[in-house]
C-alpha cells in the first residue's frame, strides 16, 4: 500500500483526496501555492509544502516544484486530481522515473488518449462506435472536402491535441470548410504546438453521456454506468446527473460493454471516463477519453456506492479491484450542481471577494464537496469552483426537488454565485422533462436574463 501521497492539486479536489487517503491510513502532503496557504486542504493534510508563487505555471503546473516537494517529504505516490498536470504524460513519466507512483494510467496511455486522432482510431479498432469522419490526421483541405462530400455537412474540424471543445470549428458547406481549414490549423498550432486536425460529422442537439470505468493492474475492469452532462454552457458543466434520463438498462449495458472493450484493448489502469455524444434516436458515438478523476465523479459514487478516489489509491497501490460487474447497480438518482464564484446575470463573469458567511446545505440525501469556510477569500488565479452540491433520491424528480431545497438552504454571502441560475434550471419544464441537449442552457440563459430584466422595471 502507498504510505504517503503528495496531493498535486488544490481546492475541493485536494480536500477530497486528503479525505480518501485518511480513510485508508495513507499520510498526505498537500502542495500549495502562495495563494493557497490558508486553504482547507492545507489545514486537513498531515503536511503541506509551498511549491511556488500563485501563477499556475510556477506552482501547480510545475513538475520540478511538485516532484521535489514529494521527494523532500518522503512521499511514495502523487495524486494529480483533475486539470493542471493530471493528463500530462511528461509529468507521469517524471514521477515514475523518480520512483513516485503516479496515481493514474501510464504515460503511454495518456499520450494515446491525449491525441484525439489516435484515441478515435484505437476505440474504433476495438469496435466502439465513433462519429463518421476522417480515418487519421487530415493531410490537406482537399482531403477534408472529399470526406465531407461523403458524410455530408455540417462538419466539425477538431484539433487532435485539443479536448474539451477548444479550437473546434464548424463548416456548413464547402466554402466554409476551405476557409476554416487553415484557420483551424493555425489556431491548433498556436494553442497546442501541433496543427494536426481531424474531421467529424457535426452532430446537433446531442446529449453528452459519459461512462465511468475502473481498471486494476491485474487485468480486471468494470464500468459504473453513465453520467449525463448535457447541461453545459461554453463547455463548462453546470449540472450533472446519474443515471442519464435517456439511458435505460439495455443501452447502459451496450455502452458499458463497448467502453470496457475499448479500455481493455489498451490495457487501461485507473479510473477513467469515455465521453459519448448521443443523438435523439439513442445512437451513441465515442468522442474522447479522460484519463483522470473528473469533477462530476460524486454523482456516480452516490448511485453506485463505490468510492472512486479510494479505488484510485488502492489500484495505484497494486491492489486488486474486488468489485464484480454484476454487483454494480445504479440504484436511485443523483444530481450535482457546481457552485461557481461567477455572476450568471453578467455572462458568468468571475466574481471576487471574501466569503463572509457560509452555511452549506445538509440533511438526508445531500452531500457537499467543498473547500469553503467563512472568512475565506478564493484566490483569483484559479478556476472559480466553490462547492459541489450533490443531492440524491429515489427518482430524478426526488433528487431535483431535494436540490431545490439544498440550493435555497445554502448561504454564501460576500460573493456572487451561480445558484440563482441553477434554481431556474432545475425548475425549467424542458430540463425537468429531460428534453434538453448540450445547447439548451445557452437558450435558457437568454430567456432567464430577459425575464430578470423585465422583473426590474
Ligand atoms: C462534437 C459535437 C458535435 N459533433 N463533435 C465539445 C467538447 C468536446 N469534448 C467535444 N465537443 C463536441 N464535439 C461532433 N462530431 C459537439 C460538441 C459540443 C459539446 C459536446 C459535449 C458537451 C457540450 C458541448 C457543447 C458544444 C459542442
Amino acid at each position: 500500500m502507498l504510505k504517503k501521497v503528495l496531493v498535486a492539486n488544490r481546492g475541493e479536489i485536494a480536500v477530497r483526496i486528503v479525505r480518501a487517503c485518511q480513510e485508508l491510513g495513507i499520510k498526505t502532503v498537500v502542495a500549495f501555492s502562495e495563494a493557497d496557504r490558508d486553504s482547507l486542504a492545507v489545514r486537513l493534510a498531515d503536511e503541506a509544502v509551498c511549491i511556488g508563487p500563485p501563477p499556475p505555471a510556477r506552482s501547480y503546473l510545475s513538475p520540478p516544484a511538485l516532484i521535489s516537494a514529494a521527494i523532500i517529504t518522503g512521499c511514495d505516490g502523487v495524486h494529480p486530481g483533475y486539470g493542471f498536470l493530471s493528463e500530462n504524460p511528461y509529468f507521469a513519466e517524471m514521477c515514475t522515473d523518480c520512483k513516485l507512483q503516479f496515481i493514474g494510467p501510464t504515460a503511454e496511455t495518456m499520450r494515446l488518449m491525449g491525441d484525439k486522432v489516435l484515441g478515435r482510431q484505437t476505440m474504433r479498432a476495438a469496435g466502439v462506435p465513433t462519429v463518421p469522419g476522417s480515418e487519421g490526421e487530415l493531410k490537406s483541405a482537399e482531403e477534408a472536402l472529399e470526406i465531407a462530400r461523403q458524410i455530408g455537412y455540417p462538419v466539425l474540424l477538431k484539433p487532435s491535441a485539443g479536448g474539451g471543445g477548444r479550437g473546434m470549428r464548424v463548416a456548413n458547406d464547402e466554402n466554409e470548410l476551405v476557409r476554416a481549414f487553415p484557420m483551424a490549423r493555425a489556431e491548433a498550432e498556436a494553442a497546442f504546438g501541433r496543427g494536426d486536425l481531424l474531421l467529424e460529422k457535426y452532430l446537433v442537439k446531442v446529449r453528452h453521456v459519459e461512462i465511468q470505468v475502473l481498471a486494476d493492474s491485474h487485468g480486471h475492469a468494470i464500468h459504473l454506468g453513465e453520467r449525463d452532462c448535457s447541461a453545459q454552457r461554453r463547455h463548462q458543466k453546470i449540472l450533472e446527473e446519474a443515471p442519464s434520463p435517456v439511458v435505460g438498462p439495455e443501452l447502459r449495458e451496450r455502452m458499458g460493454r463497448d467502453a470496457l472493450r475499448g479500455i481493455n484493448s489498451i490495457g487501461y489502469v485507473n479510473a477513467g471516463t469515455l465521453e459519448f455524444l448521443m443523438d435523439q434516436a439513442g445512437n451513441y458515438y465515442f468522442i474522447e477519453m479522460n484519463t483522470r478523476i473528473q469533477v462530476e465523479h460524486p454523482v456516480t459514487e452516490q448511485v453506485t456506492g463505490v468510492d472512486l478516489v479510494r479505488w484510485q489509491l488502492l489500484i495505484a497501490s497494486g491492489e486488486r479491484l474486488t468489485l464484480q460487474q454484476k454487483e454494480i447497480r445504479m440504484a436511485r438518482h443523483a444530481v450535482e450542481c457546481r457552485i461557481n464564484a461567477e455572476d450568471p446575470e453578467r455572462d458568468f463573469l468571475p466574481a471576487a471577494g471574501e466569503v463572509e458567511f457560509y452555511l452549506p446545505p445538509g440533511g438526508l440525501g445531500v452531500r457537499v464537496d467543498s473547500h469553503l469556510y467563512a472568512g475565506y477569500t478564493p484566490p483569483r488565479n484559479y478556476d472559480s469552483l466553490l462547492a459541489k452540491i450533490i443531492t440524491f433520491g429515489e427518482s430524478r424528480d426526488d433528487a431535483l426537488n431535494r436540490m431545490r431545497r439544498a440550493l435555497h438552504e445554502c448561504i454564501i454571502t460576500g460573493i456572487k454565485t451561480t445558484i440563482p441560475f441553477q434554481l431556474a434550471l432545475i425548475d425549467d419544464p424542458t430540463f425537468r422533462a429531460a428534453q434538453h441537449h448540450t445547447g439548451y442552457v445557452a437558450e435558457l440563459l437568454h430567456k432567464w436574463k430577459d425575464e430578470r430584466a423585465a422583473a426590474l422595471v
Side-chain angles (χ1 to χ4, degrees):
M1 271 289 286
L2 287 168
K3 290 191 167 54
K4 195 172 184 183
V5 163
L6 184 89
V7 181
N9 214 301
R10 61 172 307 283
E12 69 85 20
I13 196 64
V15 172
R16 173 75 184 87
I17 297 163
V18 167
R19 285 172 172 158
C21 288
Q22 278 169 352
E23 291 183 8
L24 283 168
I26 299 172
K27 292 260 180 290
T28 52
V29 180
V30 162
F32 67 95
S33 79
E34 281 167 22
D36 282 331
R37 196 175 291 282
D38 298 324
S39 72
L40 185 58
V42 166
R43 263 184 224 218
L44 295 181
D46 295 298
E47 292 171 56
V49 179
C50 183
I51 48 159
R58 299 183 60 197
S59 48
Y60 301 106
L61 286 174
S62 169
L66 292 161
I67 287 174
S68 48
I71 292 171
I72 287 164
T73 53
C75 289
D76 53 3
V78 175
H79 198 306
Y82 51 68
F84 295 122
L85 294 171
S86 62
E87 294 182 290
N88 185 311
Y90 302 105
F91 181 57
E93 200 170 318
M94 285 171 77
C95 287
T96 307
D97 289 348
C98 294
K99 308 276 182 275
L100 294 163
Q101 178 67 44
F102 179 78
I103 300 164
T106 62
E108 220 32 68
T109 298
M110 286 161 72
R111 231 165 242 134
L112 188 66
M113 288 302 139
D115 182 309
K116 304 303 155 209
V117 165
L118 292 178
R120 200 174 130 81
Q121 281 173 343
T122 306
M123 290 301 160
R124 192 187 317 183
V128 184
T130 55
V131 188
S134 52
E135 270 310 321
E137 178 198 337
L138 291 171
K139 301 281 180 297
S140 62
E142 288 67 40
E143 188 190 354
L145 283 168
E146 178 53 35
I147 296 164
R149 213 167 284 144
Q150 289 164 23
I151 62 176
Y153 288 88
V155 293
L156 193 58
L157 287 167
K158 292 185 177 182
S160 187
R166 284 179 67 202
M168 301 187 333
R169 266 171 191 268
V170 182
N172 291 298
D173 55 40
E174 297 208 340
N175 273 329
E176 287 186 14
L177 183 54
V178 169
R179 285 160 168 277
F181 189 85
M183 294 193 337
R185 171 155 280 183
E187 239 174 63
E189 182 80 48
F192 311 111
R194 282 177 39 200
D196 39 332
L197 302 171
L198 63 108
L199 184 88
E200 285 179 358
K201 174 97 183 159
Y202 182 51
L203 305 173
V204 290
K205 305 222 164 166
V206 285
R207 296 181 78 106
H208 172 139
V209 177
E210 57 187 31
I211 299 276
Q212 176 73 53
V213 295
L214 267 180
D216 71 13
S217 56
H218 305 274
H220 179 48
I222 60 168
H223 75 84
L224 296 107
E226 78 288 352
R227 295 184 285 264
D228 194 310
C229 311
S230 304
Q232 313 206 0
R233 179 192 166 269
R234 301 199 182 158
H235 307 300
Q236 291 288 345
K237 295 167 185 162
I238 288 190
L239 178 152
E240 306 98 340
E241 59 185 309
S244 167
V246 298
V247 175
E250 189 264 345
L251 190 50
R252 176 169 309 121
E253 203 177 302
R254 269 200 295 137
M255 291 183 83
R257 267 206 310 265
D258 283 351
L260 289 177
R261 264 207 320 282
I263 65 157
N264 287 333
S265 79
I266 57 172
Y268 190 79
V269 177
N270 183 36
T273 301
L274 290 90
E275 289 186 16
F276 294 89
L277 297 179
M278 186 173 287
D279 66 20
Q280 273 141 348
N283 300 306
Y284 58 89
Y285 309 92
F286 170 84
I287 49 170
E288 53 192 79
M289 179 170 184
N290 303 315
T291 57
R292 59 169 193 274
I293 191 76
Q294 288 194 259
V295 178
E296 60 270 28
H297 76 275
V299 291
T300 299
E301 295 185 326
Q302 293 311 135
V303 295
T304 61
V306 175
D307 183 335
L308 292 168
V309 179
R310 180 187 181 91
W311 277 113
Q312 282 193 295
L313 293 161
L314 289 169
I315 287 167
S317 299
E319 299 284 317
R320 279 175 191 278
L321 177 59
T322 51
L323 299 166
Q324 300 301 319
Q325 189 63 56
K326 62 177 191 304
E327 298 173 58
I328 305 300
R329 291 253 147 41
M330 293 195 91
R332 308 181 301 169
H333 200 97
V335 181
E336 172 180 282
C337 280
R338 295 189 189 188
I339 312 305
N340 279 285
E342 292 170 1
D343 185 354
E345 295 199 59
R346 292 197 192 177
D347 227 26
F348 289 79
L349 189 77
E354 181 188 317
V355 175
E356 290 161 357
F357 187 76
Y358 172 54
L359 183 75
L364 184 72
V366 179
R367 164 179 173 181
V368 180
D369 279 19
S370 177
H371 58 298
L372 224 57
Y373 58 85
Y376 178 68
T377 304
R380 310 280 305 263
N381 312 77
Y382 315 109
D383 88 344
S384 56
L385 184 65
L386 295 177
K388 304 188 301 202
I389 299 178
I390 303 103
T391 60
F392 36 99
E394 286 303 310
S395 65
R396 184 170 188 263
D397 271 331
D398 289 346
L400 288 171
N401 291 340
R402 192 164 273 157
M403 181 62 80
R404 186 200 299 115
R405 189 268 284 173
L407 291 175
H408 277 301
E409 199 173 305
C410 183
I411 305 176
I412 301 173
T413 63
I415 193 162
K416 292 257 196 222
T417 76
T418 47
I419 290 176
F421 180 68
Q422 282 155 331
L423 276 167
L425 176 65
I426 60 176
D427 279 323
D428 174 72
T430 303
F431 175 77
R432 266 296 164 136
Q435 280 165 355
H436 59 295
H437 50 81
T438 52
Y440 184 70
V441 162
E443 291 174 23
L444 180 64
L445 189 59
H446 278 117
K447 273 195 283 180
W448 181 75
K449 281 200 285 197
D450 289 349
E451 280 165 22
R452 292 222 140 191
L456 285 175
V457 287

